[in-house]
Amino acid sequence: KAGVTQTPRYLIKTRGQQVTLSCSPISGHRSVSWYQQTPGQGLQFLFEYFSETQRNKGNFPGRFSGRQFSNSRSEMNVSTLELGDSALYLCASSLWGLTSTDTQYFGPGTRLTVL
Amino acid sequence: DQQVKQNSPSLSVQEGRISILNCDYTNSMFDYFLWYKKYPAEGPTFLISISSIKDKNEDGRFTVFLNKSAKHLSLHIVPSQPGDSAVYFCAASGKEYGNKLVFGAGTILRVKS
């Protein structure tokens, strides 16, 4: 079974721009969660999508948004980029997501650098 | 306010010895705890988990201990191998908390051969 894939792997943007990141979950998985990893902060939960609906949301500003398509692929968008948005963005997929203790399988991440 | 804390940013251990990674949490609503391992340029991979109804879970060389009264869990790796060198993240979740995973900041483990 193919694992979770994320594209692109690396991105460089400038302040004020917007960016879209993509995540393809493991085949059959319906839940996709997004996390931000910054040095010293660990992984912080952004949001979870299940069957095209946002089911859970973390404490991030509205500039961070996402969506999920009928094939469970998910995209995350960050508008009006700030320097502090530089981070590794990880997505994780699971069968049933955050309603259960399903194991979450992570992708390799997208490294976003904001200049 | 960090609800899951890994107070040791790094740990260095000799090959063959025991590695003990520690994690503290503050939210008593957490009822499920996990450890993930992360290599550079890869996403975290699930290692082992424990439910709050247990105090120990073992999987091969990896054992997780949970002390609910102290709100503390630890991961023991015995014997440690050079391939165990990675960043280890502790995570917690709870039904009352929407089952969202709350991660610690991670501990870098270096196993010296």
Side-chain angles (χ1 to χ4, degrees):
Chain A
K1 234 184 199 178
V4 178
T5 57
Q6 291 186 246
T7 56
R9 292 295 309 276
Y10 302 92
L11 260 181
I12 299 176
K13 292 283 188 179
T14 55
R15 276 182 299 176
Q17 286 188 306
Q18 68 99 24
V19 68
T20 299
L21 314 181
S22 180
C23 173
S24 292
I26 290 171
S27 177
H29 284 190
R30 296 167 66 186
S31 166
V32 173
S33 296
W34 288 89
Y35 295 84
Q36 181 195 65
Q37 184 189 1
T38 52
Q41 290 291 320
L43 284 75
Q44 294 182 285
F45 174 78
L46 279 151
F47 30 66
E48 182 214 9
Y49 284 86
F50 184 87
S51 291
E52 301 177 65
T53 302
Q54 187 181 89
R55 196 163 62 173
N56 267 292
K57 193 175 187 308
N59 296 324
F60 277 81
R63 299 186 297 108
F64 291 82
S65 63
R67 58 178 175 166
Q68 188 179 34
F69 302 94
S70 58
N71 61 358
S72 294
R73 189 177 71 85
S74 177
E75 286 181 348
M76 190 191 92
N77 186 75
V78 188
S79 62
T80 321
L81 283 166
E82 300 176 359
L83 294 178
D85 297 333
S86 295
L88 180 68
Y89 290 88
L90 292 153
C91 83
S93 79
S94 64
L95 269 171
W96 301 110
L98 301 183
T99 57
S100 69
T101 53
D102 255 4
T103 298
Q104 293 195 40
Y105 296 88
F106 283 83
T110 294
R111 171 74 62 186
L112 172 64
T113 302
V114 182
L115 303 175
Chain B
D1 179 30
Q2 276 197 307
Q3 298 189 69
V4 178
K5 296 178 187 176
Q6 294 178 256
N7 291 319
S8 299
S10 65
L11 175 68
S12 189
V13 168
Q14 199 65 38
E15 180 180 6
R17 305 294 291 269
I18 184 171
S19 295
I20 300 176
L21 296 105
N22 294 302
C23 178
D24 296 297
Y25 61 96
T26 57
N27 193 332
S28 56
M29 292 196 297
F30 290 142
D31 58 16
Y32 191 63
F33 304 89
L34 310 91
W35 285 93
Y36 279 83
K37 179 169 78 172
K38 185 179 185 302
Y39 293 118
E42 294 182 16
T45 53
F46 170 75
L47 204 51
I48 192 169
S49 63
I50 187 166
S51 160
S52 60
I53 61 172
K54 292 184 169 184
D55 53 21
K56 177 183 173 181
N57 189 24
E58 215 170 329
D59 184 1
R61 295 186 298 113
F62 302 91
T63 304
V64 57
F65 295 91
L66 175 62
N67 182 333
K68 285 192 295 292
S69 59
K71 294 193 179 69
H72 176 83
L73 64 154
S74 61
L75 174 69
H76 292 209
I77 307 174
V78 185
S80 302
Q81 299 172 353
D84 296 330
S85 297
V87 180
Y88 288 78
F89 291 99
C90 163
S93 70
K95 289 187 194 65
E96 299 296 325
Y97 200 65
N99 281 328
K100 288 179 277 196
L101 284 180
V102 180
F103 283 85
T107 297
I108 301 170
L109 174 65
R110 294 187 188 90
V111 180
K112 299 177 287 189
S113 53

